[in-house]
Amino acid sequence: MTEFTTRPDIRGTFGVVTSTHWIASAVGMSILEKGGNAFDAAVATGLVLQVVEPHLNGPAGDLPAIFLSAEAGIGVVAAQGPAPQGATIEHYRDRGLTLIPGSGLLSTVVPGAFDGWMLMLRDHGTMTLREVLSPAIGYARDGHPILPRVANTIAGLAEYFATEWPSSAETWTPGGTSPEANALFRNPDLAATYERLVEAGEAAGEDRTHQIDAARTEWAEGFVARAIFDYLETAEVHDVSEGRNRAVLAPADMADWRAEFEAPLSYEYHGWTLNKTGPWGQGPVLLQSLAILKHTDIANMDPLGAEFVHTVIEAMKLSYADREAYYGDPKQSDVPMEHLLSDAYNAERAALIGPEASTEQRPGRVPGFERQADAYVERAARDFGVSDAGAQEPTMAHLTEKKGDTVHLDVIDRWGNCVAATPSGGWLQSNPVIPGLGFPLNSRAQMFWLEEGLPTSLAPGRRPRTTLTPTIAEHENGDRLAFGTPGGDQQDQWQLIWFLRFVHHGLGLQQGMDAPLFHSMHFQGSFFPRAVKTAEMMIEPAFGETVIDDLRARGHVVTVAEPWTIGRLTAAHRTADGQLSAAATPRLMQAYAVGR
């Protein structure tokens, strides 16, 4: 394999920041230069991503983050808001719905992202609220060069906003005109919202902890919450169901919820311990795929060959089937993760991988949980062939720009602190902008089912089984890796491929990101309308016709993507002696790594 890469691995010893937008990466690096640590930099980077990539994330969205503190060890920031107390299956069924819409007020759970960032800053950062919020305030107030993709997204929705979501029209098409690509774009309401939160914090005194807690309270119970619920009191919003619906989110839902820390779910693979969220996220899918692949000869396969692609695809079909059958919020459901990650179970799973593409949905038979496996198989058969024309999260640039997606960031500082975060939700396509605040609510509730008895059934206080899935890995020699990607159901697929090539085939950070990627679409999608595409996969053309023809001969239904359109990976690495490196995908030409 060629050593040529589209850009170098960024190397140094002081600090590295990599994210899905160059401005956000530069902001994070500026925080490190000012003496902040990786947590300060991550928060500032994440808040700026809300401004410069509003089609991919927002303040009222969702935030899972994995961190490795030089002082406190490994942990998870769990900032996935739960379903409101009024979100019952009966309520949605009474609306004539069989699926939760992929947009609009019925799809809203408790906003989680802002509080998650504040929790991280309070307990692990060193800087003040004003120091980390100032860059986001500045770019929202004074403007930033709007990405062509954002401008195109707004243009495609401008008529809909004007007709159905007038508050969004005021924010995204000021003066009734869609912004031109690369023109300065401002969001003064968002700037004012963040400035007011800073002022509320500073009114609590000089102590940074008290300031941050005051801002969190102001968000959940003060002027932000009042603006949200003043709007929701009368709002009936058109959504993808073609109906107009009211929210079930209530003031107590926001006031009673705060982000929290959790222990990660961990798995050892070839000297690496990989840390992911629990099964309220899809993160365990990566761990389970590795547990299956342990029982194959994956290390000796050509990482650009058909056998490698076929084996990885088939392993992912099996782990994703288990995701659909068994994963859910462990606070409300018994999820048999120990069994799903056990060596004996995954040896049985690996034995199912044959020379041809599977056309079945094959969740494992976990003792005591058989009904969940049967329910998934029945549901997938029912939804096979459902059009995904209205899906509300894309996988990459080859799909319509009217869908929302996700961002990612990785930071490592000179002290060895690491953060990997995958913020999402609350994007401009999800809901109308809350008047006066400059941001919309999220649409994460679409990941629940309106069927009783499942770990992913809609229930008050339950977290949706999100697709957001950052990773931190620790090697037994002291090395550390932080990595991740946007992309919905594809996130753990692309991360898995990149990690396998890094571990078994010696590809460097950037080299692995430049290598062509692929993913399966065989399992049930997580986003409205939850389509199933049996045996279908997508692959980049750089694999070559020989590999693609081989895959088709094995029974895979192969869609060849446009060149350079799969995966938006970023990664940062720290060796045991303190050397740092980072990389970012060239795809979409906006992700960048910086460092020194």
Side-chain angles (χ1 to χ4, degrees), residues 540-561:
E540 290 188 305
F543 274 95
E545 291 183 6
T546 300
V547 170
I548 293 169
D549 289 345
D550 187 323
L551 293 168
R552 285 176 171 149
R554 295 170 186 254
H556 296 280
V557 180
V558 181
T559 296
V560 180

Side-chain angles (χ1 to χ4, degrees), residues 16 20 128 240 389 451 488:
V16 290
T20 50
T128 66
V240 74
E451 301 171 24

Side-chain angles (χ1 to χ4, degrees), residues 316 320 489-497 519-520 523:
M316 292 189 301
Y320 272 79
D489 291 312
Q490 282 67 53
Q491 290 181 28
D492 279 308
Q493 300 194 60
W494 298 333
Q495 290 183 66
L496 172 67
I497 297 161
H519 60 260
S520 173
F523 47 85

